[in-house]
Amino acid sequence: QKEVEQNSGPLSVPEGAIASLNCTYSDRGSQSFFWYRQYSGKSPELIMFIYSNGDKEDGRFTAQLNKASQYVSLLIRDSQPSDSATYLCAVNSNTGNQFYFGTGTSLTVIP
Amino acid sequence: SAVISQKPSRDICQRGTSLTIQCQVDSQVTMMFWYRQQPGQSLTLIATANQGSEATYESGFVIDKFPISRPNLTFSTLTVSNMSPEDSSIYLCSVTGGGADTQYFGPGTRLTVL
């Protein structure tokens, strides 16, 4: 069983719509959860991190965490073509020393 | 967050040769990590490099193939030894910083082995 699982997509949404990206993880003791954006040919860029159950909002981005269901999601409101990228979910191990990355979800925002 | 640079940004190498990748950070950091990202795939951790101790390698990665140095708190190198075309990949260094355990990535080194 993979530590972190994401739907690889591709996910296509029209400009202005809400994009919803989902991630599940296997280690129930995980404490920290991260979303990275990676443009083609570039390195991953941190978008958000979340530690507590519930929602965390930052501009057009909202991270949602449900530890009971071992589920973390990222919502992108008012999606823009510049949001087109691969989004990586990462979970910090229970020991706090290692990140586990999902395989990423490719998002395309259609103008 | 820390500013991270890597050298070289890309290289094309012949089979059987070795390449050393440098990672420089603009502030002192305790933990540095080396990842590999093969085409179309996610990130795979190669090893964790802490200053003053031997690097810790993940399953499937060995020191003879990927020797790592960490001479101080701002610098590390990863060598890809005796390269084969299967080593063609993007190699990324990262550091923890900012909020607790958050990782930030360098720009990466794109390696092609012929």
Side-chain angles (χ1 to χ4, degrees):
Chain A
Q1 180 185 7
K2 292 183 179 179
E3 297 283 346
V4 179
E5 297 207 36
Q6 294 181 253
N7 186 334
S8 62
L11 174 65
S12 295
V13 299
E15 183 174 355
I18 296 175
S20 178
L21 305 164
N22 305 314
C23 173
T24 58
Y25 59 95
S26 61
D27 182 356
R28 186 170 291 278
S30 298
Q31 297 295 322
S32 310
F33 308 87
F34 305 84
W35 283 100
Y36 288 83
R37 177 176 61 198
Q38 187 173 26
Y39 293 113
S40 180
K42 301 295 185 181
S43 64
E45 170 192 13
L46 180 69
I47 299 175
M48 292 188 70
F49 57 86
I50 186 168
Y51 299 141
S52 303
N53 275 329
D55 295 359
K56 179 181 179 182
E57 185 175 321
D58 184 0
R60 296 186 296 110
F61 299 95
T62 298
Q64 299 175 318
L65 175 61
N66 184 327
K67 290 187 178 181
S69 300
Q70 297 175 238
Y71 176 92
V72 59
S73 65
L74 179 70
L75 301 178
I76 306 174
R77 292 182 300 281
D78 188 23
S79 294
Q80 301 297 310
S82 59
D83 294 327
S84 298
T86 296
Y87 289 81
L88 298 168
C89 172
V91 175
N92 203 333
S93 70
N94 197 20
T95 63
N97 292 327
Q98 182 171 342
F99 271 36
Y100 293 96
F101 283 87
T103 53
T105 298
S106 175
L107 171 67
T108 299
V109 180
I110 303 168
Chain B
S1 63
V3 176
I4 307 167
S5 61
Q6 285 185 235
K7 290 182 182 179
S9 58
R10 59 177 62 223
D11 207 341
I12 300 173
C13 301
Q14 295 297 319
R15 178 195 300 261
T17 63
S18 298
L19 176 71
T20 296
I21 302 168
Q22 300 179 7
C23 180
Q24 179 77 52
V25 189
D26 70 342
S27 59
Q28 294 184 340
V29 294
T30 302
M31 300 181 75
M32 296 180 76
F33 305 87
W34 287 99
Y35 288 85
R36 181 173 73 182
Q37 187 173 32
Q38 294 181 306
Q41 298 190 24
S42 190
L43 285 76
T44 301
L45 181 65
I46 297 172
T48 302
N50 294 326
Q51 194 269 337
S53 63
E54 294 291 323
T56 303
Y57 289 83
E58 297 302 307
S59 177
F61 297 96
V62 295
I63 188 171
D64 290 347
K65 175 68 175 178
F66 297 100
I68 288 171
S69 77
R70 182 79 199 274
N72 57 52
L73 291 174
T74 64
F75 186 78
S76 179
T77 67
L78 169 75
T79 299
V80 186
S81 304
N82 188 25
M83 288 183 287
S84 67
E86 291 71 34
D87 295 319
S88 297
S89 187
I90 297 173
Y91 292 85
L92 296 150
C93 70
S94 74
V95 304
T96 51
D101 53 3
T102 307
Q103 284 197 22
Y104 298 93
F105 287 87
T109 296
R110 183 179 295 271
L111 171 63
T112 302
V113 184
L114 303 178

